[in-house]
Amino acid sequence: MNLSLIAINSRFTHSCPALYYLKAAVRHLPVHVTLQEFTIHQQAVEMLAKIKHAQPDVVACSIYIWSAAIFRELIPAIQAVLPDTRMILGGPEVSGNPGYWRTLAGDDAFIVTGFGERPFRELVESLSSDEANPANMSKNLFDPEPDFASLPFLYSENDIQELKGKYIYYEASRGCPFQCAYCVSSHHNLQKRGLEKVLPELARFAEYQPSIVKLVDRSFNADPDYAYAIWEYLIELNPQTRFHFEVYPALLREKDIRLLATAPDHLFQFEIGIQSTHDEILRGVKRYESWEKVHPLLERLIAPGNIHIHLDMLCGLPFQTTTHIRTSFNRIFQLRADHFQMGFLKVLPGTNVFEDESDFACFREAPYHILKTRWLSFDEISQLLRIARLLDLFWNSENFQTTVGELVSRASSPFDFFVELLDWWDRQNISLQSATWQVMGKYLAAYIDDDPYLIDCLRWDWCKIANSHWFPEYLRARELDKRAIIEKLHRFYKEIPLQQLKKAVIFEPETEDFRLRVMDGRRYACFIPGSTGKITRFLDDE
């Protein structure tokens, strides 16, 4: 029997761990398994052609919030082109709204809700039997909570090799002990794989040196001792791979902070959901933590700079007003983490907030974006969405942090700066679509209106990303004798090969203020390309 496992990812670099769990679940059955992972940027007809080419007897689709709209189009098309092929539908979208997908796929389709590994294996085993009679099989399958620790390791050696260049996803635990009203994981008890399994499995990843392994545990440090043991092991192992964790900030302990300060640079990446800095707002979604406690822990976690920190907040929570959002935005931005995600509530089926229809208006199909709440109007949410876009373009992109950092310092608050920038943006009638650095930089240069110090900031930001000594016209300063500067640089920094130095981008500030504040009074800054990014070296007149 030919079985095709299908997922549609949001990016080419992503992969779908559910497919690998399902593949591992049927590893010993007499079936030929084909994994087919597409992206949301591909045309449905292209996907359909590849699915048909695999000549499947059974097609199993794993459906998520970002792929639901495409699968609504693709599933009827598969049934039209492959009328004799059996359909199995599962994933979070199907579990949240099985009736919708039953109506779409028809009475002969198999609908798997909850955790899929065990019912999927039993279903495939039945379908692959010589005595199989699909007409007599149950079409609705459900497993509320399997023994997660007993599941086999989801990747084969070949899988890990074929995932080179993509994110690899892994679970050390499944479920969550917390009851956050907006999260589907709050309905499942926390289950952990034993450390005797987890540590060797993480070491297997490290052998192949993927760029990143993302642990998707909802609250990785829900058991602080368990998390500590894994962090300690990876710090000692010191692999070339970066490991991503979703961390619950209130559970970080003094010993965790001390341990994490010893981690090698770029080994860890933390995504930390703050959501709100107002304790009363968090209590409204059954999330119990204190900003007074969390704030100093986060400052100490961020301070060493050895961990890439991604902080999240949520707009649209119950009882949350624009005043709450402004305060949370300012407090979180001022931590100066590597990435600040200004997110928006998704009213997901199966969550407590989904049942509170009188408090929220939202899209009732994926992606379930909030439209308005009892406390926030549609116009307010629309403005916040556009502020979040500017935050991504000019801060999270890391392309303009020197310039924006200075602009923020001159504003009454970080939030007020982005409000002012949005007002200017709208007056200029500029699109909020991303563009090249040169285009976005030109807009920012127009906004700062020839302020000499800010132009130096913008030129500095350009040097950090430029691949040559060429400057955009609106940033050009006087010509420099690059050859003489490189020769001098080579005399001072002999450990850097001359060929590498010749690729340097050289910066000389126009303002004395910038030279003193940013360059410690030095005349030149030289941005030299290296294996892990730009190396910055300074030179004096003499």
Side-chain angles (χ1 to χ4, degrees):
M1 185 178 82
N2 289 334
L3 168 64
S4 288
L5 303 176
I6 298 171
I8 303 172
N9 303 318
S10 58
R11 297 181 186 175
F12 172 78
T13 53
H14 293 182
S15 60
C16 179
L19 299 193
Y20 295 87
Y21 274 117
L22 298 179
K23 180 184 176 183
V26 300
R27 190 173 291 157
H28 302 298
L29 297 181
V31 295
H32 174 74
V33 179
T34 301
L35 266 66
Q36 295 186 291
E37 296 190 72
F38 304 103
T39 77
I40 58 175
H41 307 292
Q42 292 177 260
Q43 296 294 318
V45 67
E46 176 189 352
M47 301 180 202
L48 184 61
K50 292 183 178 180
I51 293 168
K52 182 178 183 296
H53 182 74
Q55 297 182 321
D57 301 297
V58 178
V59 167
C61 303
S62 187
I63 304 173
Y64 291 80
I65 190 170
W66 56 82
S67 60
I70 299 173
F71 271 117
R72 285 197 286 268
E73 177 184 359
L74 188 60
I75 288 167
I78 293 172
Q79 292 173 317
V81 172
L82 298 168
D84 297 325
T85 296
R86 295 287 172 182
M87 297 288 300
I88 305 174
L89 307 183
E93 278 300 296
V94 176
S95 294
N97 194 357
Y100 173 87
W101 295 95
R102 164 65 64 211
T103 301
L104 178 74
D107 293 337
D108 290 334
F110 295 93
I111 302 292
V112 180
T113 56
F115 297 100
E117 291 91 351
R118 183 164 57 194
F120 182 78
R121 177 179 54 77
E122 293 171 354
L123 174 58
V124 171
E125 187 173 20
S126 297
L127 289 172
S128 62
S129 169
D130 292 336
E131 293 79 32
N133 186 356
N136 294 332
M137 295 180 186
S138 172
K139 299 301 190 296
N140 299 299
L141 300 96
F142 173 67
D143 189 350
E145 209 154 293
D147 180 9
F148 171 66
S150 68
L151 294 177
F153 183 58
L154 66 163
Y155 299 108
S156 67
E157 302 296 328
N158 189 56
D159 290 334
I160 299 174
Q161 291 179 348
E162 290 188 351
L163 284 169
K164 189 172 183 178
K166 295 190 175 186
Y167 293 177
I168 292 180
Y169 297 89
Y170 178 80
E171 291 174 295
S173 63
R174 185 179 284 184
C176 186
F178 305 112
Q179 303 295 316
C180 302
Y182 50 79
C183 181
V184 294
S185 295
S186 64
H187 298 299
H188 304 294
N189 295 324
L190 179 66
Q191 296 188 65
K192 296 172 293 183
R193 291 174 75 79
L195 290 173
E196 74 282 357
K197 290 184 177 180
V198 170
L199 301 185
E201 288 170 356
L202 294 178
R204 287 175 69 182
F205 290 134
E207 289 177 13
Y208 290 93
Q209 299 186 4
S211 60
I212 188 165
V213 173
K214 298 192 76 169
L215 282 83
V216 293
D217 311 50
R218 291 298 88 190
S219 298
F220 175 74
N221 60 326
D223 180 338
D225 290 335
Y226 182 81
Y228 187 97
I230 293 173
W231 288 332
E232 185 178 46
Y233 174 79
L234 290 172
I235 289 171
E236 184 175 343
L237 187 65
N238 192 16
Q240 297 303 304
T241 294
R242 175 178 284 187
F243 288 84
H244 171 105
F245 302 92
E246 297 187 20
V247 173
Y248 196 87
L251 295 180
L252 288 169
R253 305 166 301 178
E254 178 68 27
K255 66 183 293 187
D256 298 323
I257 299 296
R258 289 199 303 268
L259 172 70
L260 293 167
T262 70
D265 287 353
H266 309 298
L267 174 61
F268 292 150
Q269 176 173 296
F270 284 4
E271 183 173 348
I272 301 176
I274 297 173
Q275 318 313 5
S276 173
T277 65
H278 296 273
D279 300 353
E280 70 275 16
I281 299 298
L282 295 176
R283 287 194 295 271
V285 290
K286 300 181 180 179
R287 190 177 172 99
Y288 304 102
E289 59 190 63
S290 164
W291 175 248
E292 185 177 350
K293 174 188 175 184
V294 165
H295 178 227
L297 288 171
L298 291 175
E299 285 187 318
R300 291 181 57 202
L301 184 67
I302 293 168
N306 59 327
I307 298 175
H308 189 278
I309 304 290
H310 178 138
L311 300 180
D312 293 343
M313 72 172 284
L314 272 179
C315 302
L317 295 171
F319 310 107
Q320 189 184 49
T321 66
T322 51
T323 300
H324 292 116
I325 290 168
R326 180 183 183 274
T327 303
S328 290
F329 185 102
N330 289 333
R331 288 171 173 172
I332 297 171
F333 187 93
Q334 285 164 349
L335 286 169
R336 296 297 175 97
D338 298 285
H339 191 98
F340 172 23
Q341 177 74 36
M342 185 181 177
F344 291 79
L345 181 69
K346 292 182 173 63
V347 186
L348 302 174
T351 62
N352 291 338
V353 293
F354 189 80
E355 308 305 323
D356 299 331
E357 294 189 41
S358 61
D359 289 341
F360 303 96
C362 66
F363 290 108
R364 302 303 283 185
E365 293 184 350
Y368 308 106
H369 280 305
I370 196 81
L371 296 172
K372 67 176 183 176
T373 75
R374 195 198 304 177
W375 308 273
L376 288 172
S377 69
F378 172 77
D379 288 342
E380 288 172 316
I381 288 179
S382 178
Q383 182 194 44
L384 292 169
L385 282 165
R386 288 152 65 230
I387 289 172
R389 183 62 182 147
L390 286 176
L391 179 69
D392 285 341
L393 289 171
F394 287 108
W395 185 257
N396 291 330
S397 68
E398 301 183 10
N399 287 335
F400 302 96
Q401 289 193 346
T402 310
T403 310
V404 171
E406 176 63 21
L407 285 164
V408 165
S409 73
R410 298 184 182 189
S412 55
S413 77
F415 186 83
D416 291 340
F417 160 71
F418 282 99
V419 170
E420 293 165 8
L421 180 60
L422 179 63
D423 288 343
W424 180 87
W425 209 264
D426 288 344
R427 290 196 302 272
Q428 309 306 312
N429 196 28
I430 304 171
S431 168
L432 281 172
Q433 296 299 313
S434 61
T436 63
W437 195 103
Q438 292 95 312
V439 172
M440 303 307 293
K442 189 172 185 178
Y443 293 147
L444 203 53
Y447 174 76
I448 62 183
D449 195 24
D450 293 329
D451 180 301
Y453 184 88
L454 288 171
I455 291 295
D456 270 346
C457 291
L458 195 56
R459 293 175 65 234
W460 183 271
D461 282 328
W462 166 258
C463 289
K464 290 194 292 186
I465 64 97
N467 293 319
S468 72
H469 194 61
W470 178 87
F471 282 80
E473 184 177 351
Y474 56 88
L475 295 180
R476 286 180 187 165
R478 68 182 185 86
E479 289 292 325
L480 300 175
D481 186 347
K482 183 179 179 182
R483 176 179 293 181
I485 295 170
I486 294 299
E487 289 175 355
K488 186 176 181 180
L489 193 67
H490 187 50
R491 290 199 300 272
F492 280 94
Y493 302 105
K494 294 184 182 299
E495 74 277 8
I496 304 175
L498 181 60
Q499 287 303 114
Q500 190 174 348
L501 293 176
K502 288 180 177 179
K503 299 176 182 178
V505 179
I506 300 170
F507 172 85
E508 182 183 30
E510 295 287 293
T511 64
E512 187 67 15
D513 194 17
F514 190 94
R515 187 193 312 276
L516 294 173
R517 288 175 56 186
V518 179
M519 299 172 59
D520 196 27
R522 316 297 283 275
R523 179 170 182 179
Y524 302 112
C526 303
F527 295 81
I528 307 161
S531 60
T532 58
K534 290 286 184 68
I535 305 166
T536 308
R537 293 289 185 269
F538 295 98
L539 282 175
D540 294 316
D541 285 328
E542 299 299 331

